[in-house]
């Protein structure tokens, strides 16, 4: 007994191993023994010159996670820009980027960006260069400063993403590190690659760190209550997410009555065309660990799940539950997503099933399969998609992506935009971006008229054969005394037909842009929009329409990002469908940093069209309108103290159209004037939101939100466009107060 007591006394007297305290100071003993990564080069502009200011990164790992310490030299003569914004908001501020490939296979990357002012960004990098900022995960950092240097200290938990297998207690990860000095407009990176490099994730620097496997089990309940001021009704909602990660290679997420209460409103969009608008997804369950399911063809578009029901007045469908599983075994990665909607007042809920498998044959070749099955009982409709994808790397920065897709949709009422039957498509993308003067992407897209992935995925249209080439040429070799820092020339050439051989509207878009050393940016964009093609969708399947060629020109000016008051100014003018001077456009986007932690961003646009063509909703009747559109938005973000955020967001869109003439196409698609009556119109839409957010702990938040919406449509257009602002506020369509609490309990 005495021996046990003595041993306990010795153990108690022995100091506990030093742990890293996240304070941004890098003064713990672990940092003295950490790996050191140097060798940064200038990558923006991509000159590969030695940086004017040195950067060193320290790497360490322990049972709590991976740690990265950035040491950034920056003397007092180079102003440091400290800006705050919402999470994942792109703002002007000195910052560092940490990109990680956790399993070291070069397939999926993860971004963790830390701003000196306190903001953070995180994203999943799929398909080598595609960034999804809807993903939010638990990680943290701290910053500190001296006169000559500033420091960023990261902690990335092991549980944020699937891990690779350890060998002899060590794990290989891919690392990309960069640092931005806003005042000089330069980025320094290691390895010295640009973000546009077509094999960006695969070419990350391989680093070995000590492996520490850790299981995770999180229970994340939420509860919310709302009061509708229009209906005088109170509503409550509760549910939970369960996150289980038994090992680095397996992850399961389950949700019951998931937290889909929207505290982030979508951008207001006016779209008269037949082509749908794609929106981001901020719902927690659907943004977590989706990199495996991302492919060039958007077979899975998560906004389909929980969208408006197939019948009935509801604007969204309640989701009973969903499951998501991802796993890996050697070179094989696989996953499954299922979701079930509740019945609405009229429609039965839909069921969604998604499967994915991907195999890495070598460092150069990866192939995979993704499939979806959707059941929509209200429409007596089922949809199946099966797709094979391949990525082949010829050399660093040079790659080929190929994807073939088969679709099978059964439903009784097909349309030109929503076909039924057996469809197919092929997609081929050749990317050349090794980091020289020229970057290039070439797309070949083949879709037949029965191709349809819109039940679970997203497509702009079926029946399309397209060849597209995007090229950028850079000039960066300017002398240090030259006013210019970089000049770029970008060109996008698109030629298309439908699967019957009709030439669809082709486009040539090109711009030349000059960035000065004082960070002023000037450019001019030229758009050749239609090149006299056939629009086979504008009448929604009631006959093609020949469109004349139109040319538009947009000069623009952007002031330095490091200024307290910044501006983006864009002018535009060009041809209409029938009028040589039928279009003009003005846009002004100011940003003002009122003080540290308080910023204001605005956007104001006015567009005028002499003869905008709009389908009238019946047959092949088109109306030409003298159309004006005004847009305004104001976004105020205030961060009074740490973990508190107050945001005010206002959006307003208004349009008015004076009827000029009615048109119908003949059998060849040539438009001819008719005597059909068409009506003038005007509309206005407003959205206003005040949101307070308090971060109780990582992934644990309290929201208090007031939202207001207004909408008005006037066929007679007796009121002026200027009065539409008041109409949008007065004609209330939504007025709601919401409180929501979401808290994570770490059970393992």
């Amino acid at each position: 007994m005495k021996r046990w007591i003595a041993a306990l006394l010795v153990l108690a007297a022995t100091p506990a191993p030093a742990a890293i305290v996240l304070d941004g100071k890098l003064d713990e003993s672990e940092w003295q023994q950490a790996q050191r990564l140097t060798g940064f080069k200038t990558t923006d502009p991509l000159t590969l010159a030695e940086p004017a200011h040195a950067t060193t990164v320290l790497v360490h790992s322990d049972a709590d996670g991976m740690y990265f310490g950035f040491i950034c030299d920056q003397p007092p003569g180079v102003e440091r820009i400290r800006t705050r914004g919402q999470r994942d908001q792109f703002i002007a501020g000195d910052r560092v980027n940490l990109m990680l490939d956790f399993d070291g296979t070069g397939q999926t990357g993860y971004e963790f960006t830390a701003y000196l002012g306190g903001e953070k960004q995180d994203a999943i990098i799929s398909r080598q260069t595609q960034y999804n900022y809807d993903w939010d995960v638990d990680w943290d950092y701290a910053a500190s400063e001296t006169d000559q240097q500033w420091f960023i200290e990261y902690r990335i938990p092991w549980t944020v993403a699937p891990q690779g297998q350890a060998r002899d207690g060590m794990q290989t990860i891919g690392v990309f590190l960069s640092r931005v000095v806003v005042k000089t407009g330069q980025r320094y990176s290691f390895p010295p690659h640009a973000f546009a490099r077509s094999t960006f994730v695969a070419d990350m620097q391989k680093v070995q760190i000590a492996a520490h496997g850790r299981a995770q089990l999180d229970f994340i309940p939420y509860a919310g209550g709302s009061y509708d001021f229009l209906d005088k009704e109170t509503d409550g909602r509760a549910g939970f997410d369960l996150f289980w990660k038994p090992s680095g290679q397996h992850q399961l997420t389950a949700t019951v009555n998931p937290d889909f209460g929207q505290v982030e409103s979508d951008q207001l969009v006016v779209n008269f065309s037949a082509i749908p608008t794609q929106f981001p997804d901020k719902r927690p369950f659907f943004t977590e660990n989706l990199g495996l399911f991302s492919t060039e063809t958007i077979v899975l578009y998560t906004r389909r799940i929980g969208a408006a029901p197939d019948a009935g007045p509801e604007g969204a469908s309640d989701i009973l539950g969903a499951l998501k599983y991802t796993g890996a075994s050697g070179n094989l990665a696989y996953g499954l997503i299922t979701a079930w909607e509740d019945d609405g007042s009229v429609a039965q809920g839909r069921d969604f099933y998604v499967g994915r498998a991907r195999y890495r044959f070598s460092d150069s070749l990866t192939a995979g399969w993704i499939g979806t099955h959707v059941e929509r009982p209200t429409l007596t409709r089922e949809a199946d998609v099966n797709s094979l994808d391949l990525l082949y790397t010829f050399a660093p920065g040079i790659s080929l992506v190929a994807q073939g897709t088969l679709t099978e949709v059964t439903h009784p009422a097909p349309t030109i935009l929503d076909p039924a039957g057996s469809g197919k498509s092929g997609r081929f993308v050749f990317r050349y971006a090794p980091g020289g003067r020229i970057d290039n992407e070439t797309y070949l897209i083949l879709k037949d008229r029965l191709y349809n992935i819109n039940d679970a995925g997203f497509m702009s249209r079926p029946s399309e054969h397209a060849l597209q080439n995007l090229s950028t040429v850079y000039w960066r070799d300017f002398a240090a005394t030259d006013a210019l820092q970089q000049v770029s020339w970008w060109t996008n050439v698109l030629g298309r037909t439908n699967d019957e051989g009709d030439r669809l509207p082709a486009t040539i878009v090109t711009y030349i842009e000059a960035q000065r050393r004082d960070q002023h940016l000037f450019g001019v964009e030229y758009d050749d929009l239609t090149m006299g093609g056939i629009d086979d969708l504008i009448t929604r399947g009631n006959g093609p329409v020949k469109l004349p060629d139109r040319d538009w020109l947009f000069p623009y000016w952007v002031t330095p990002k490091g200024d307290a008051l910044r501006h983006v100014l864009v002018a535009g003018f060009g041809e209409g469908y029938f009028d040589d001077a039928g279009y003009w456009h003005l846009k002004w986007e100011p940003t003002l940093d009122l003080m540290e932690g308080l910023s204001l961003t605005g956007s104001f646009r006015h567009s005028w069209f002499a003869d905008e063509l709009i389908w009238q909703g019946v047959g092949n009747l088109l109306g030409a309108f003298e159309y004006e559109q005004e847009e305004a938005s104001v976004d105020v973000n205030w961060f009074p103290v740490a973990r508190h955020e107050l945001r005010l967001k206002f959006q307003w869109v208004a349009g008015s159209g004076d009827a000029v003439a009615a048109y119908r196409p003949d059998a060849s698609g040539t438009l001819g004037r008719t005597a059909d009556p068409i009506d003038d119109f005007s509309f206005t839409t407003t959205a206003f939101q005040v949101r307070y957010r308090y971060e109780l702990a990582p992934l644990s938040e309290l929201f208090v939100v007031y939202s207001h919406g207004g909408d008005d449509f006037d066929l007679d257009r007796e009121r002026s466009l200027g009065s539409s602002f008041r109409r949008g506020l007065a004609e209330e369509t939504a007025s709601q107060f919401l409180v929501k609490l979401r808290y994570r309990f770490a059970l393992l």
Side-chain angles (χ1 to χ4, degrees), residues 288-307:
E288 171 64 30
N289 197 24
L290 273 183
L292 176 65
F293 298 89
S294 177
T295 57
E296 283 285 340
T297 299
I298 307 174
V299 175
L300 175 61
Y301 175 48
T302 56
R303 287 290 293 255
R304 300 289 184 208
I305 305 172

Side-chain angles (χ1 to χ4, degrees), residues 256-294:
V256 174
N257 198 25
D259 175 11
F260 291 158
Q262 292 297 300
V263 294
E264 184 72 33
S265 56
D266 287 328
Q267 192 72 21
L268 296 180
V269 174
V270 177
N271 184 0
F272 292 123
S273 77
I275 305 300
T277 301
Q278 186 178 358
F279 290 99
D281 197 338
K282 297 296 280 185
R283 301 173 298 180
F285 176 82
F286 289 122
T287 60
E288 171 64 30
N289 197 24
L290 273 183
L292 176 65
F293 298 89
S294 177

Side-chain angles (χ1 to χ4, degrees), residues 248-446:
Q249 289 75 50
H250 300 274
Q251 184 171 304
L252 176 68
T253 307
T255 184
V256 174
N257 198 25
D259 175 11
F260 291 158
Q262 292 297 300
V263 294
E264 184 72 33
S265 56
D266 287 328
Q267 192 72 21
L268 296 180
V269 174
V270 177
N271 184 0
F272 292 123
S273 77
I275 305 300
T277 301
Q278 186 178 358
F279 290 99
D281 197 338
K282 297 296 280 185
R283 301 173 298 180
F285 176 82
F286 289 122
T287 60
E288 171 64 30
N289 197 24
L290 273 183
L292 176 65
F293 298 89
S294 177
T295 57
E296 283 285 340
T297 299
I298 307 174
V299 175
L300 175 61
Y301 175 48
T302 56
R303 287 290 293 255
R304 300 289 184 208
I305 305 172
D310 291 328
E314 295 89 355
S317 300
D318 290 333
I319 298 179
L320 294 172
L323 288 169
K324 178 169 52 185
Y325 166 75
T326 59
S329 177
N331 290 329
L332 177 65
Y334 43 90
L336 174 69
I337 298 175
T338 63
W340 305 274
E341 294 178 345
D342 196 4
D343 295 339
S345 60
V346 177
Q348 293 177 263
R350 295 163 293 214
D351 297 334
F352 297 83
Y353 305 89
V354 185
R356 174 65 164 153
R358 186 180 66 198
Y359 191 82
R360 181 170 174 255
F361 291 92
S362 67
D363 290 343
S364 300
L365 178 62
T366 301
W369 163 85
I370 184 169
T372 65
H373 175 74
V374 181
E375 297 178 2
R376 305 172 68 173
T378 300
L379 301 179
T380 319
R381 174 178 180 139
E382 291 190 1
D384 291 287
V385 175
N386 286 280
S387 185
L388 297 176
D389 59 294
L390 176 147
L391 169 64
Y392 184 79
T393 301
F394 297 94
I398 307 174
S399 65
L400 173 68
V401 176
Q403 186 164 1
T405 305
L406 298 176
T407 67
E408 185 71 40
V409 179
T410 60
H411 70 100
T415 67
I416 189 172
L417 288 167
D418 187 22
S422 300
K424 57 184 179 295
S425 77
R427 186 180 183 93
F428 306 88
V429 186
F430 177 75
R431 293 190 170 99
Y432 176 88
R437 171 163 287 187
I438 298 175
D439 291 348
N440 192 85
E441 292 187 354
T442 302
Y443 293 80
L444 175 62
I445 301 168
L446 306 170

